[in-house]
Amino acid sequence: MMDPTTDNAGQSGDADTARTALEALRAEIAKAVVGQDPAVTGLVVALLCRGHVLLEGVPGVAKTLLVRALASALELDTKRVQFTPDLMPSDVTGSLVYDTRTAEFSFQPGPVFTNLLLADEINRTPPKTQSSLLEAMEERQVTVDGTPRPLPEPFLVAATQNPVEYEGTYPLPEAQLDRFLLKLTIPLPSRQDEIDVLTRHASGFDPRDLRAAGVRPVAGPADLEAARAAVAKTTVSPEITAYVVDICRATRESPSLALGVSPRGATALLATSRAWAWLTGRDYVIPDDVKALALPTLRHRVQLRPEAEMEGVTADSVINAILAHVPVPR
């Protein structure tokens, strides 16, 4: 880990400097990606909470570019796996390889042994390979031949997926979805944003060369550690805790949902709310923090009833209705 006593950006252990460095990520990523500030914020929140992120959107909306830009703006080791129908679990986690020189098996680590893993189009590989990430995401380790091997710290999985309606996709099972702290939807750009994208490309922007676009590291492991320590000190009142519980319990009672939010989801909402409160400059959580993170934290943890889905009801609309009806603490 970097020396937290140095003064360079990305190396300071001071909490205020860490907040400034993490806020600077937005400016760096904006050099490569246009108009996706909510997704950038979600990725930063996940880093602060030691969580993982699922980005969903149609092909061509810069999901992969967004994660690559984040990796370039962070001083973290990064690897990418393109999930395909023929990908095997060992291609992700690593495997034992026989060494003819020593007549012994040695472990060859897979791409999961990194700080930031880009799992590209994760729902285009069968469930067997999808599940290879379960232990890594939850336990921060990989077990091969009965031997657990710890993953580097920090460790974040940023997975992209296409909407399940598209051909050649395998919907992620509930257990896998629940391992993601946030599900961020990447919409099609506005008209002006799309004009800006084309203008950049006409001026020579190459999405494969982010260094040429001016994206530079502005934060590192020491910043993350200092920020996480500060987030852990963010005050949560009993009223806010009860508010989070009431929202999650309301999902279990909704007639539109076959599956509501579990206690793990309630814990996740509390964690993301604290991270967002700290990022906005407060050392305490308010109801607006909970509301701001409710959709990305909960939308993938609920399951619609078939009849509700046929009527056009969405997970987001159900959660928004619950937020509108659950009493807000003063």
Side-chain angles (χ1 to χ4, degrees):
M1 182 176 291
M2 299 179 182
D3 180 3
T5 62
T6 58
D7 293 330
N8 293 333
Q11 295 182 329
S12 171
D14 179 76
D16 290 335
T17 304
R19 183 189 285 114
T20 301
L22 292 177
E23 289 174 347
L25 284 174
R26 291 192 181 99
E28 289 301 307
I29 295 174
K31 296 177 181 177
V33 181
V34 177
Q36 295 293 353
D37 190 64
V40 175
T41 300
L43 286 166
V44 174
V45 167
L47 282 168
L48 292 175
C49 298
R50 292 182 170 86
H52 310 287
V53 177
L54 180 64
L55 299 103
E56 182 179 276
V58 299
V61 291
K63 300 186 298 295
T64 303
L65 179 61
L66 176 62
V67 179
R68 288 180 53 237
L70 173 70
S72 295
L74 288 168
E75 293 177 322
L76 300 176
D77 183 48
T78 307
K79 290 185 174 66
R80 173 181 175 181
V81 178
Q82 185 68 46
F83 280 72
T84 57
D86 59 348
L87 191 73
M88 299 297 293
S90 59
D91 295 330
V92 179
T93 61
S95 59
L96 295 176
V97 178
Y98 184 74
D99 190 337
T100 56
R101 293 171 299 178
T102 62
E104 295 179 349
F105 285 94
S106 61
F107 178 67
Q108 297 297 317
V112 73
F113 286 86
T114 186
N115 295 126
L116 177 58
L117 177 68
L118 171 55
D120 214 2
E121 295 188 305
I122 190 173
N123 63 336
R124 289 200 179 277
T125 198
K128 180 180 180 180
T129 304
Q130 292 175 2
S131 63
S132 66
L133 285 175
L134 281 174
E135 182 186 15
M137 294 171 69
E138 183 66 20
E139 306 296 335
R140 315 265 169 179
Q141 67 179 25
V142 168
T143 301
V144 176
D145 196 34
T147 302
R149 294 173 169 84
L151 295 171
E153 178 62 33
F155 174 68
L156 168 72
V157 174
T160 69
Q161 74 169 11
N162 297 315
V164 294
E165 294 83 5
Y166 278 63
E167 292 185 7
T169 60
Y170 300 84
L172 294 175
E174 288 79 6
Q176 181 86 49
L177 285 172
D178 202 39
R179 295 306 192 279
F180 287 101
L181 180 72
L182 300 173
K183 179 182 178 182
L184 306 174
T185 56
I186 310 298
L188 289 167
S190 66
R191 180 176 182 273
Q192 186 55 53
D193 284 344
E194 196 163 1
I195 290 174
D196 292 343
V197 170
L198 268 62
T199 300
R200 289 189 181 192
H201 280 265
S203 301
F205 171 71
D206 184 359
R208 292 172 291 274
D209 188 0
L210 295 179
R211 294 292 180 184
V215 181
R216 296 289 185 268
V218 294
D223 291 307
L224 286 178
E225 286 304 311
R228 288 169 173 177
V231 169
K233 297 176 182 177
T234 302
T235 303
V236 181
S237 68
E239 292 79 11
I240 292 295
T241 302
Y243 183 51
V244 170
V245 169
D246 289 343
I247 290 172
C248 295
R249 291 181 67 85
T251 66
R252 303 168 203 164
E253 300 167 0
S254 171
S256 299
L257 298 178
L259 177 67
V261 177
S262 69
R264 182 189 304 188
T267 301
L269 180 55
L270 185 64
T272 56
S273 301
R274 293 177 83 183
W276 176 241
W278 180 81
L279 274 175
T280 54
R282 279 179 283 101
D283 61 356
Y284 57 92
V285 180
I286 62 175
D288 284 348
D289 299 324
V290 179
K291 290 181 177 181
L293 272 298
L295 283 180
T297 307
L298 304 181
R299 59 163 60 106
H300 57 298
R301 304 176 191 272
V302 300
Q303 188 177 93
L304 290 168
R305 294 188 183 277
E307 55 270 26
E309 200 165 1
M310 291 178 62
E311 294 173 0
V313 176
T314 65
D316 283 14
S317 65
V318 173
I319 295 171
N320 278 327
I322 288 172
L323 292 174
H325 287 87
V326 172
V328 179
R330 295 182 180 179

